[in-house]
mmCIF file of all heavy atoms in Angstrom:
data_model
loop_
_atom_site.group_PDB
_atom_site.id
_atom_site.type_symbol
_atom_site.label_atom_id
_atom_site.label_comp_id
_atom_site.label_asym_id
_atom_site.label_seq_id
_atom_site.Cartn_x
_atom_site.Cartn_y
_atom_site.Cartn_z
ATOM 1 N N HIS E 333 2.612 7.913 8.905
ATOM 2 C CA HIS E 333 1.796 8.719 9.699
ATOM 3 C C HIS E 333 2.006 10.289 9.140
ATOM 4 O O HIS E 333 2.918 10.482 8.408
ATOM 5 C CB HIS E 333 2.263 8.801 11.259
ATOM 6 C CG HIS E 333 1.835 7.373 11.736
ATOM 7 N ND1 HIS E 333 0.650 7.131 12.356
ATOM 8 C CD2 HIS E 333 2.603 6.283 11.829
ATOM 9 C CE1 HIS E 333 0.679 5.854 12.803
ATOM 10 N NE2 HIS E 333 1.788 5.285 12.398
ATOM 11 N N SER E 334 1.216 11.194 9.591
ATOM 12 C CA SER E 334 1.339 12.484 9.105
ATOM 13 C C SER E 334 2.625 13.136 9.497
ATOM 14 O O SER E 334 3.170 14.034 8.788
ATOM 15 C CB SER E 334 0.140 13.475 9.733
ATOM 16 O OG SER E 334 0.192 13.396 11.108
ATOM 17 N N THR E 335 3.274 12.594 10.576
ATOM 18 C CA THR E 335 4.667 12.972 10.845
ATOM 19 C C THR E 335 5.622 12.497 9.980
ATOM 20 O O THR E 335 6.800 12.973 10.073
ATOM 21 C CB THR E 335 4.928 12.532 12.388
ATOM 22 O OG1 THR E 335 4.814 11.193 12.322
ATOM 23 C CG2 THR E 335 3.958 13.234 13.400
ATOM 24 N N GLY E 336 5.342 11.595 9.176
ATOM 25 C CA GLY E 336 6.296 10.931 8.313
ATOM 26 C C GLY E 336 6.819 9.536 9.043
ATOM 27 O O GLY E 336 7.508 8.815 8.323
ATOM 28 N N ILE E 337 6.575 9.265 10.132
ATOM 29 C CA ILE E 337 6.976 8.054 10.868
ATOM 30 C C ILE E 337 6.172 6.845 10.162
ATOM 31 O O ILE E 337 4.960 6.895 9.763
ATOM 32 C CB ILE E 337 6.543 8.095 12.306
ATOM 33 C CG1 ILE E 337 7.396 9.097 13.021
ATOM 34 C CG2 ILE E 337 6.718 6.722 12.946
ATOM 35 C CD1 ILE E 337 7.089 9.339 14.466
ATOM 36 N N THR E 338 6.949 5.731 9.950
ATOM 37 C CA THR E 338 6.372 4.623 9.255
ATOM 38 C C THR E 338 6.440 3.438 10.027
ATOM 39 O O THR E 338 7.197 3.233 11.074
ATOM 40 C CB THR E 338 7.226 4.397 8.046
ATOM 41 O OG1 THR E 338 8.646 4.045 8.347
ATOM 42 C CG2 THR E 338 7.252 5.431 7.003
ATOM 43 N N ASN E 339 5.442 2.547 9.894
ATOM 44 C CA ASN E 339 5.384 1.248 10.548
ATOM 45 C C ASN E 339 4.953 0.151 9.639
ATOM 46 O O ASN E 339 4.349 0.430 8.540
ATOM 47 C CB ASN E 339 4.184 1.267 11.681
ATOM 48 C CG ASN E 339 4.532 2.263 12.806
ATOM 49 O OD1 ASN E 339 4.001 3.366 12.709
ATOM 50 N ND2 ASN E 339 5.373 1.940 13.675
ATOM 51 N N TYR E 340 5.370 -1.085 9.855
ATOM 52 C CA TYR E 340 5.253 -2.109 8.937
ATOM 53 C C TYR E 340 4.781 -3.451 9.641
ATOM 54 O O TYR E 340 5.139 -3.626 10.798
ATOM 55 C CB TYR E 340 6.570 -2.489 8.253
ATOM 56 C CG TYR E 340 7.124 -1.240 7.434
ATOM 57 C CD1 TYR E 340 8.000 -0.359 7.970
ATOM 58 C CD2 TYR E 340 6.794 -1.136 6.087
ATOM 59 C CE1 TYR E 340 8.446 0.618 7.282
ATOM 60 C CE2 TYR E 340 7.202 -0.071 5.370
ATOM 61 C CZ TYR E 340 8.060 0.851 5.917
ATOM 62 O OH TYR E 340 8.575 1.994 5.213
ATOM 63 N N ALA E 341 4.139 -4.259 8.857
ATOM 64 C CA ALA E 341 3.776 -5.582 9.417
ATOM 65 C C ALA E 341 4.954 -6.383 9.414
ATOM 66 O O ALA E 341 5.897 -6.202 8.617
ATOM 67 C CB ALA E 341 2.650 -6.204 8.436
ATOM 68 N N ASP E 342 5.086 -7.283 10.380
ATOM 69 C CA ASP E 342 6.249 -8.104 10.545
ATOM 70 C C ASP E 342 6.604 -8.892 9.233
ATOM 71 O O ASP E 342 7.843 -9.031 8.917
ATOM 72 C CB ASP E 342 6.071 -9.110 11.598
ATOM 73 C CG ASP E 342 6.045 -8.485 12.988
ATOM 74 O OD1 ASP E 342 6.464 -7.302 13.121
ATOM 75 O OD2 ASP E 342 5.604 -9.189 13.977
ATOM 76 N N SER E 343 5.581 -9.318 8.423
ATOM 77 C CA SER E 343 5.723 -10.089 7.345
ATOM 78 C C SER E 343 6.359 -9.331 6.210
ATOM 79 O O SER E 343 6.937 -9.894 5.237
ATOM 80 C CB SER E 343 4.448 -10.594 6.760
ATOM 81 O OG SER E 343 3.582 -9.593 6.516
ATOM 82 N N VAL E 344 6.530 -7.969 6.219
ATOM 83 C CA VAL E 344 7.164 -7.154 5.103
ATOM 84 C C VAL E 344 8.246 -6.337 5.619
ATOM 85 O O VAL E 344 8.870 -5.674 4.713
ATOM 86 C CB VAL E 344 5.969 -6.313 4.404
ATOM 87 C CG1 VAL E 344 4.822 -7.185 3.934
ATOM 88 C CG2 VAL E 344 5.517 -5.166 5.240
ATOM 89 N N ARG E 345 8.395 -6.231 6.915
ATOM 90 C CA ARG E 345 9.398 -5.266 7.480
ATOM 91 C C ARG E 345 10.778 -5.705 6.875
ATOM 92 O O ARG E 345 11.205 -6.818 6.834
ATOM 93 C CB ARG E 345 9.421 -5.319 8.892
ATOM 94 C CG ARG E 345 10.330 -4.313 9.495
ATOM 95 C CD ARG E 345 10.287 -4.272 11.080
ATOM 96 N NE ARG E 345 8.964 -3.808 11.513
ATOM 97 C CZ ARG E 345 8.075 -4.566 12.114
ATOM 98 N NH1 ARG E 345 8.391 -5.800 12.318
ATOM 99 N NH2 ARG E 345 6.916 -4.104 12.449
ATOM 100 N N GLY E 346 11.609 -4.738 6.443
ATOM 101 C CA GLY E 346 12.867 -4.844 5.744
ATOM 102 C C GLY E 346 12.800 -5.113 4.265
ATOM 103 O O GLY E 346 13.840 -5.082 3.604
ATOM 104 N N ARG E 347 11.575 -5.359 3.704
ATOM 105 C CA ARG E 347 11.452 -5.621 2.333
ATOM 106 C C ARG E 347 10.615 -4.542 1.575
ATOM 107 O O ARG E 347 10.870 -4.192 0.510
ATOM 108 C CB ARG E 347 10.804 -7.013 2.049
ATOM 109 C CG ARG E 347 11.472 -8.237 2.683
ATOM 110 C CD ARG E 347 10.967 -9.480 2.125
ATOM 111 N NE ARG E 347 9.582 -9.792 2.693
ATOM 112 C CZ ARG E 347 8.480 -9.830 1.872
ATOM 113 N NH1 ARG E 347 8.605 -9.867 0.527
ATOM 114 N NH2 ARG E 347 7.308 -10.092 2.419
#
Side-chain angles (χ1 to χ4, degrees):
H333 296 273
S334 58
T335 58
I337 293 174
T338 58
N339 296 101
Y340 299 92
D342 289 344
S343 59
V344 306
R345 186 175 294 113
R347 300 188 297 122

